[in-house]
Amino acid sequence: MNHEFYMQRCLELAVMGMGNVSPNPMVGCVIVHEDKIIGEGYHQKIGEAHAEVNAIHDVFAKHGDNAPSLLKQATAYVTLEPCSHFGKTPPCADLLIRHQLKKVIIGNTDPFESVNGRGIAKLRDAGIEVITEVLKEQCEFVNRRFFTRIKAQRPYFILKWAQTTNSYFAPEHTSQQWISGPEAKILTHQWRSQEDAILVGKNTVLADNPQLNTREVKGKNPIRIVIDRNLDVPSDFHIFNDAAKTVIFNEVKTEVVNNIHFIQMEDMHFYLPQKIAYQLYLMDIQSVIIEGGANILQQFIVSNLWDEARIFTSKSRWESGTKAPKINGTVIEQTAIGNDELKIYKPNKA
């Protein structure tokens, strides 16, 4: 059997849950009998059935009374180790054991303490053959947000900005001025729908009065996070509407008013990125797009608190303005988006 072929299909299924399963991982599962897929599924929504459950349900839906006998001779492929504990749903390892699958092929072991290796051990103890680390790196990449939250105990941070061809980031005056084109805007909104939260500083809000939503695409709005030390943003700005939960980090008060959560922090001029990272981890926020301004982006860069940078470069030139941040990273992807160039970086290891 071509393990990589079927695991690749699992990955295609897994990413269909993007934006809907956090802080859980994205997981895909394919069940194969005599080199034919007889059922498949993925984790669709937080708190609902896991990938293995949906895949087995698919076998029964397609094969009816023949399903039990087919499963006993089948191999399950799954991107992440089946869970062995009771969470919001029962253990998936127990489900595979109950249906007496012959073999289970796994992409990654689960770094979560309640699972890590225990699902595999449970399967093997039941006499099921287990093979691990098939397309391991690809499976890790799909769940890089989940792995970062579990291992580093912080969200996965994505830096995003647009710059002119001569590296200007924002105009000298405070009025809004677009750098990238409409295609980049649509893609940015797609990205927002895939992540838990979007973070900006006070000056960005005052200059642009942004909505920080996904109005250009179909998808959920991210949690809006604003750094506003002295609560200077007027209450009639878009961030205070009811379109999404909004978190305001400040030094004045802790209070919840409808969907607006004010969270007080002390000494925000010291170790601010680290404080924000820890607070968001406690809030189960798994991924954050940081969209500005330049000062906030630079603070996260200097603190080495970023995992990915997505930078649009337009063909326009400005004579003056605020220079774009500089990062120490390696380009992992480069593509044209309309008239703009998009480069995606990962940080260089120290």
Side-chain angles (χ1 to χ4, degrees):
M1 295 178 74
N2 188 338
H3 295 329
E4 287 79 11
F5 173 82
Y6 293 116
M7 190 62 72
Q8 184 60 48
R9 176 56 185 161
C10 289
L11 287 167
E12 292 169 3
L13 291 165
V15 297
M16 292 170 71
M18 180 170 281
N20 296 313
V21 300
S22 177
N24 281 0
M26 293 179 284
V27 182
C29 179
V30 166
I31 298 176
V32 178
H33 179 267
E34 295 182 353
D35 262 347
K36 182 181 177 183
I37 294 175
I38 60 171
E40 57 184 31
Y42 66 98
H43 184 29
Q44 298 179 18
K45 191 174 180 181
I46 180 73
E48 295 185 359
H50 287 186
E52 298 93 325
V53 176
N54 288 329
I56 284 179
H57 284 170
D58 193 38
V59 175
F60 276 90
K62 289 175 177 173
H63 300 280
D65 293 340
N66 293 326
S69 60
L70 289 172
L71 286 168
K72 287 178 183 178
Q73 296 301 315
T75 297
Y77 290 81
V78 61
T79 52
L80 191 69
E81 176 181 2
C83 58
S84 57
H85 67 295
F86 280 89
K88 290 185 172 68
T89 60
C92 290
D94 291 359
L95 178 72
L96 298 175
I97 292 167
R98 188 165 73 248
H99 288 287
Q100 302 176 331
L101 274 83
K102 187 170 65 173
K103 189 182 297 186
V104 177
I105 315 296
I106 295 168
N108 294 141
T109 53
D110 191 329
F112 189 60
E113 189 177 355
S114 298
V115 182
N116 200 344
R118 296 178 189 179
I120 293 170
K122 190 177 263 194
L123 292 169
R124 284 177 172 156
D125 288 346
I128 296 174
E129 181 184 351
V130 179
I131 297 173
T132 62
E133 298 190 355
V134 174
L135 296 189
K136 178 176 181 284
E137 290 184 4
Q138 292 93 321
C139 292
E140 281 182 357
F141 183 77
V142 162
N143 274 319
R144 58 198 184 278
R145 300 161 181 82
F146 174 73
F147 276 75
T148 299
R149 186 177 71 88
I150 298 298
K151 291 182 175 180
Q153 297 190 322
R154 64 166 178 82
Y156 185 90
F157 287 113
I158 301 167
L159 311 180
K160 177 264 167 184
W161 71 82
Q163 61 188 26
T164 63
T165 191
N166 55 342
S167 299
Y168 282 111
F169 171 90
E172 283 181 325
H173 46 82
T174 56
S175 62
Q176 187 180 51
Q177 192 170 341
W178 285 101
I179 295 175
S180 53
E183 296 88 352
K185 183 178 181 181
I186 291 169
L187 180 57
T188 295
H189 285 218
Q190 184 66 51
W191 290 341
R192 290 177 181 179
S193 74
Q194 296 168 350
E195 310 303 337
D196 287 355
I198 179 171
L199 184 149
V200 296
K202 173 195 73 176
N203 290 338
T204 296
V205 176
L206 291 175
D208 300 343
N209 190 14
Q211 298 182 58
L212 304 181
N213 61 16
T214 58
R215 61 194 178 278
E216 297 288 339
V217 299
K218 286 185 177 180
K220 67 169 182 59
N221 289 325
I223 296 170
R224 301 173 294 199
I225 302 169
V226 179
I227 302 167
D228 186 6
R229 186 172 166 187
N230 299 313
L231 299 181
D232 294 324
V233 177
S235 60
D236 60 348
F237 270 45
H238 292 315
I239 60 161
F240 291 109
N241 65 28
D242 60 2
K245 177 179 177 179
T246 300
V247 175
I248 313 286
F249 288 121
N250 68 94
E251 288 188 352
V252 179
K253 65 179 180 179
T254 293
E255 185 182 358
V256 178
V257 182
N258 298 320
N259 61 310
I260 313 299
H261 294 240
F262 296 92
I263 297 179
Q264 186 177 11
M265 285 184 171
E266 293 183 356
D267 300 323
M268 291 178 69
H269 50 292
F270 291 121
Y271 304 109
L272 180 61
Q274 292 88 341
K275 290 174 180 176
I276 289 172
Y278 182 64
Q279 183 64 49
L280 296 180
Y281 169 74
L282 294 178
M283 296 167 65
D284 266 347
I285 291 177
Q286 186 161 264
S287 61
V288 182
I289 296 181
I290 303 175
E291 288 203 12
N295 177 44
I296 295 299
L297 287 161
Q298 195 63 47
Q299 285 192 56
F300 276 84
I301 292 168
V302 169
S303 300
N304 245 356
L305 275 176
W306 65 281
D307 302 283
E308 204 173 305
R310 302 172 181 179
I311 303 171
F312 293 104
T313 301
S314 75
K315 291 182 169 64
S316 60
R317 295 182 65 88
W318 291 358
E319 296 306 315
S320 62
T322 301
K323 280 288 189 179
K326 291 184 178 179
I327 57 171
N328 179 21
T330 300
V331 176
I332 59 172
E333 187 178 331
Q334 183 172 348
T335 186
I337 305 295
N339 291 322
D340 304 311
E341 179 186 59
L342 170 64
K343 288 184 179 179
I344 298 179
Y345 295 80
K346 67 177 181 180
N348 292 332
K349 294 181 180 178

